[in-house]
Amino acid sequence: MGIELGRIGIWQHESVFTPEIARELEELGYGAIWLGGSPDGDLVKAEELLDATKTIKVATGIVNIWKDDAATVAESYKRIEAKHPGRFLLGIGAGHREHTAEFKKPYAALVEYLDALDAAGVPVEGRALAALGPKVIKLAGDRTAGAHPYLMTPEHTRQAREILGEGPLLAPEQKVVLEADPAKAREIGRATVKFYLGLVNYTNSLRKLGFTDEDLAGEGSDKLIDALAVYGDAETVARGVTAHIEAGADHVNIQVLNSDPLPVYRALAAVLL
């Protein structure tokens, strides 16, 4: 797998992370910080967090191939790797067709981008690929350190491991809400999940996992929200996270949906790390 991320990391929009938060996550024992929200290809945010810490890894989840060209990203990767060897994982992906005017043949575009990264000297073990469907999951295993699925269930993790086989990294994201009241927890979870129900790459994958058109309609059924944003006390949430490990994941990156994530990071560290 190359870079060692540990079992549990934290995924949030890159704007959430500060050097102070990064240092606390490191002290709590988390293995990696995942920068969401299509970080810029200069990778300045990743470098800032690595500069502020000593051992925790930083990954992008993900650099969008339509937004930043491979040559620029490769130079940024090499700059960071020279400064912080073995601590940065370049996650890339094709984003969403609904938000990309030039979105055409994403599989071919991913292959072309990986070819360019090869030519620029970015090692296979230094990069990962956002992957939902079988074809891209296999590409992730063949051409990168492994796959980074997003908004999927432990059943998807099980299927992805079957495709990847032993060896390649499998690092799914899991949304969590530290809240015991079901109505409050679902309100928090739905506020984030509903955005993805307008994106065909996610809805197609969720249908393949057994969710119906009724589950995906509107802002999502309770069944769907409960599956995609696990909630409860720290021990219950932890079981939802480790279900991915039991299904074959090497590393799970947790996205906290509570308005103040810091207390949740601390509470989950006490039961997961």
Side-chain angles (χ1 to χ4, degrees):
M1 289 188 297
I3 188 171
E4 175 52 57
L5 300 175
R7 280 206 331 157
I8 307 294
I10 296 295
W11 192 110
Q12 303 283 167
H13 190 280
E14 63 172 340
S15 62
V16 171
F17 293 113
T18 63
E20 293 74 23
I21 289 176
R23 283 191 288 269
E24 177 158 359
L25 291 175
E26 181 175 75
E27 291 168 4
L28 288 170
Y30 289 102
I33 291 168
W34 289 77
L35 303 179
S38 298
D40 289 338
D42 60 15
L43 303 177
V44 166
K45 185 70 170 189
E47 186 173 16
E48 175 189 26
L49 299 182
L50 288 165
D51 286 346
T53 54
K54 297 177 180 179
T55 59
I56 198 168
K57 312 304 193 298
V58 175
T60 50
I62 46 74
V63 170
N64 191 318
I65 66 168
W66 307 105
K67 177 173 170 284
D68 293 284
D69 66 89
T72 298
V73 173
E75 287 306 307
S76 300
Y77 172 87
K78 288 188 284 187
R79 181 189 80 243
I80 291 175
E81 179 62 19
K83 195 174 183 182
H84 300 286
R87 292 184 59 205
F88 177 67
L89 180 65
L90 174 64
I92 66 167
H96 317 302
R97 68 178 67 246
E98 293 84 356
H99 298 159
T100 308
E102 59 184 300
F103 194 98
K104 299 175 183 177
K105 297 183 178 178
Y107 183 86
L110 285 169
V111 171
E112 182 179 338
Y113 203 94
L114 291 170
D115 289 344
L117 291 179
D118 285 342
V122 177
V124 168
E125 64 272 17
R127 62 204 196 201
L129 193 58
L132 298 179
K135 192 174 180 182
V136 180
I137 291 171
K138 186 176 187 308
L139 180 67
D142 291 343
R143 299 286 307 274
T144 77
H148 170 46
Y150 183 91
L151 195 75
M152 292 290 112
T153 65
E155 173 57 23
H156 182 274
T157 297
R158 184 191 66 76
Q159 295 175 14
R161 176 52 71 197
E162 288 183 358
I163 295 166
L164 289 169
E166 295 300 318
L169 172 71
L170 180 53
E173 173 266 359
Q174 176 63 61
K175 293 173 177 54
V176 306
V177 182
L178 192 64
E179 172 58 61
D181 181 82
K184 291 180 181 178
R186 287 170 181 150
E187 182 181 4
I188 294 168
R190 188 169 273 117
T192 294
V193 170
K194 66 182 182 180
F195 166 79
Y196 299 97
L197 302 184
L199 304 176
V200 68
N201 57 333
Y202 290 110
T203 55
N204 284 346
S205 294
L206 290 167
R207 285 189 180 93
K208 291 175 184 176
L209 292 171
F211 293 103
T212 66
D213 289 344
E214 289 74 22
D215 289 320
L216 299 168
E219 296 185 351
S221 69
D222 286 352
K223 174 186 174 184
L224 179 73
I225 301 304
D226 290 354
L228 299 182
V230 297
Y231 70 88
D233 59 17
E235 289 76 12
T236 302
V237 168
R239 287 194 293 272
V241 171
T242 56
H244 287 279
I245 301 290
E246 293 162 3
D250 302 292
H251 171 89
V252 184
N253 36 100
I254 299 168
Q255 181 179 176
V256 174
L257 302 185
N258 298 75
S259 58
D260 183 0
L262 269 174
V264 186
Y265 300 155
R266 295 164 185 155
L268 292 179
V271 294
L272 279 170
L273 304 176

